[in-house]
Amino acid sequence: MSSSSAPPARGSRLALLVVGLCWLAVLFDGLDMFIYGSVLPHMLEEKALGITSAQAGDLGSYATFGMLVGALTAGTVADRIGRKKLMVSCVALFSLASGLCAVSSGVAVFGLGRTLAGLGLGGLLPTAISMVSDYAPRARAALTIGLLMTAHHAGGILSAYVALWIVEPLGWRAAFWVCVVPLLFVPVLARFLSESLSFLVARGRTEEARALAARYDAELPAAKDRTAAGAPWASLLDLFRGGEWVQTLLYWLASFGGLLLVYGVATWLPTLMRGEGYELGSALTFVVLFNLGGIVGMLIAGRASDRFGAPRISAIWFALTAGGVFLLSVHMPLALTFVVVFLTGVFLNSAQTMIYATVSIGSAPAHRATAVGWTSGMGRFGAVFGPWLGGQLLAADKGDWGFTAFALAGTASMVFIGIAALRTTRSERRAGEPRHLVTTG
């Protein structure tokens, strides 16, 4: 036991620092992401900015469209200029954009603010996942990513309490002013967050990497898999070389359905529950339970994925999610509904994260951010469609169908990631080693 525990001790201070700072950044990401869904029932009730149900769905899609663009571009940019610079820029962007929402006088300005916030939100998550993957112990890589993503759901819980404690006395604008507070974290992130050692080595900045490793007694990664400086699309093309294109497309399709489900539910859960006859306080309690389930689910799924494989766990989790979301369309006693919402949160949020874990762990350091960013970015098409779909169904007085539509998206993701898991297993048997790192334990 002592011999196996000694190596991880090297660089542990650096790993804790990086994971801790990334966790806080993702916490603010979650707060900004979920705040719109948490205050939306109040905005619709008081007809803030003249928003209708259909417009509310469109506004939810604006943020996710921004996240789509942010995720698609951030991975490639991060692999070129570094994870640290991009993370600092993303936190600054979504914080300032929330200020624009707070001062908006109409739907157009508010929508612009949410779109700009989405750019920062979409860029931050894949970059933070890539950064944490660089420092995570290989046998605990999925668990470390799951731990990071608990911050996203802690932010969701925080958004519900912001709505409960601040919106009633101060109005919906105050909630978006709270989301400007992370701007104070930007100098801390810029000062203390270290750049990825793997990125520095891959870019030939070995002296800088050596100095950083010496400062924290960390192990210097081997200089390999360096992407040519003159080929900005080389990292993306690597995802399609050989037979990798099939696996890449399966991950993208699974991510599409997963994020349609995640952001559709995140945007409309309080409103749909109010439509089922629950008070605003109870509806926001669903948000808290949903995100508490997400925190628990990340830890369970991360550990299970390290043992049994992230694609397999993701497929099982999506199947359970589809069942839970469908049950929400059935009128049940309040206590039972609370349980179903919690369990749905356990499986839904971690199912999507384990797609990211699969891609991140199995990618070479030089293009890890690109791989995760494009998987996240292609999934953002689903994230754009989910809130819009919920708004259209609600406007047509078919809110119950929203749960059914989201359940079907979960079923589709189960199929795609399940096929990817079977393909990976067959590839391992032929090659005798993991290609996309299905198991590390």
Side-chain angles (χ1 to χ4, degrees), residues 271-285:
T271 304
L272 289 174
M273 287 307 189
R274 286 200 81 182
E276 293 291 328
Y278 299 103
E279 297 296 326
L280 178 59
S282 296
L284 289 174
T285 301

Side-chain angles (χ1 to χ4, degrees), residues 186-238:
V186 168
V188 177
L189 199 63
R191 171 68 178 84
F192 294 105
L193 182 64
S194 301
E195 183 55 271
S196 160
L197 285 173
S198 297
F199 169 81
L200 294 175
V201 171
R203 290 295 160 199
R205 295 158 59 180
T206 52
E207 291 301 320
E208 188 177 345
R210 189 173 292 111
L212 180 61
R215 187 190 316 159
Y216 290 97
D217 189 29
E219 188 172 351
L220 195 66
K224 59 182 180 180
D225 198 34
R226 182 178 175 182
T227 303
W233 295 104
S235 294
L236 179 58
L237 292 176
D238 281 344

Side-chain angles (χ1 to χ4, degrees), residues 359-413:
V359 175
S360 180
I361 296 167
S363 300
H367 57 75
R368 177 173 288 140
T370 297
V372 178
W374 276 79
T375 301
S376 174
M378 299 310 286
R380 299 294 171 189
F381 285 101
V384 171
F385 186 65
W388 175 87
L389 177 62
Q392 295 303 308
L393 290 173
L394 198 68
D397 292 325
K398 296 183 181 297
D400 285 348
W401 283 97
F403 289 119
T404 302
F406 296 148
L408 289 174
T411 303
S413 290

Side-chain angles (χ1 to χ4, degrees), residues 324-395:
V325 171
F326 181 77
L327 279 176
L328 292 178
S329 65
V330 179
H331 188 75
M332 297 175 287
L334 182 60
L336 182 58
T337 305
F338 282 156
V339 173
V340 172
V341 169
F342 175 79
L343 291 176
T344 301
V346 168
F347 298 117
L348 166 58
N349 299 297
S350 50
Q352 177 66 24
T353 298
M354 290 307 107
I355 297 177
Y356 298 152
T358 302
V359 175
S360 180
I361 296 167
S363 300
H367 57 75
R368 177 173 288 140
T370 297
V372 178
W374 276 79
T375 301
S376 174
M378 299 310 286
R380 299 294 171 189
F381 285 101
V384 171
F385 186 65
W388 175 87
L389 177 62
Q392 295 303 308
L393 290 173
L394 198 68

Side-chain angles (χ1 to χ4, degrees), residues 71-340:
L72 288 179
T73 58
T76 303
V77 172
D79 280 335
R80 301 289 295 174
I81 69 170
R83 279 66 152 162
K84 175 180 177 177
K85 288 181 182 178
L86 193 62
M87 282 190 63
V88 171
S89 300
C90 287
V91 174
L93 179 58
F94 68 67
S95 300
L96 291 172
S98 291
L100 182 60
C101 291
V103 301
S104 61
S105 57
V107 173
V109 176
F110 186 89
L112 176 62
R114 289 306 290 167
T115 302
L116 292 175
L119 284 172
L121 297 169
L124 178 70
L125 271 180
T127 309
I129 290 171
S130 301
M131 179 75 84
V132 167
S133 295
D134 286 344
Y135 295 101
R138 290 297 285 178
R140 296 292 181 269
L143 178 59
T144 304
I145 294 172
L147 178 63
L148 172 71
M149 291 301 292
T150 63
H152 196 249
H153 302 289
I157 293 172
L158 183 59
S159 76
Y161 285 111
V162 166
L164 280 173
W165 297 337
I166 293 180
V167 172
E168 282 298 329
L170 300 177
W172 63 269
R173 295 180 189 272
F176 287 96
W177 281 120
V178 170
C179 293
V180 180
V181 173
L183 196 62
L184 301 175
F185 179 62
V186 168
V188 177
L189 199 63
R191 171 68 178 84
F192 294 105
L193 182 64
S194 301
E195 183 55 271
S196 160
L197 285 173
S198 297
F199 169 81
L200 294 175
V201 171
R203 290 295 160 199
R205 295 158 59 180
T206 52
E207 291 301 320
E208 188 177 345
R210 189 173 292 111
L212 180 61
R215 187 190 316 159
Y216 290 97
D217 189 29
E219 188 172 351
L220 195 66
K224 59 182 180 180
D225 198 34
R226 182 178 175 182
T227 303
W233 295 104
S235 294
L236 179 58
L237 292 176
D238 281 344
L239 305 181
F240 291 88
R241 299 190 191 280
E244 292 299 308
W245 68 272
V246 177
Q247 206 78 345
T248 295
L249 290 180
L250 286 170
Y251 293 142
W252 287 5
L253 289 169
S255 186
F256 174 89
L259 287 181
L260 187 159
L261 184 54
V262 168
Y263 287 99
V265 172
T267 300
W268 289 109
L269 182 62
T271 304
L272 289 174
M273 287 307 189
R274 286 200 81 182
E276 293 291 328
Y278 299 103
E279 297 296 326
L280 178 59
S282 296
L284 289 174
T285 301
F286 291 132
V287 176
V288 174
L289 288 171
F290 180 75
N291 285 284
L292 277 175
I295 292 174
V296 174
M298 292 297 175
L299 300 177
I300 296 174
R303 185 67 190 96
S305 294
D306 281 325
R307 182 171 179 82
F308 301 108
R312 299 186 188 105
I313 295 301
S314 182
I316 296 170
W317 261 227
F318 270 125
L320 294 170
T321 296
V325 171
F326 181 77
L327 279 176
L328 292 178
S329 65
V330 179
H331 188 75
M332 297 175 287
L334 182 60
L336 182 58
T337 305
F338 282 156
V339 173
V340 172

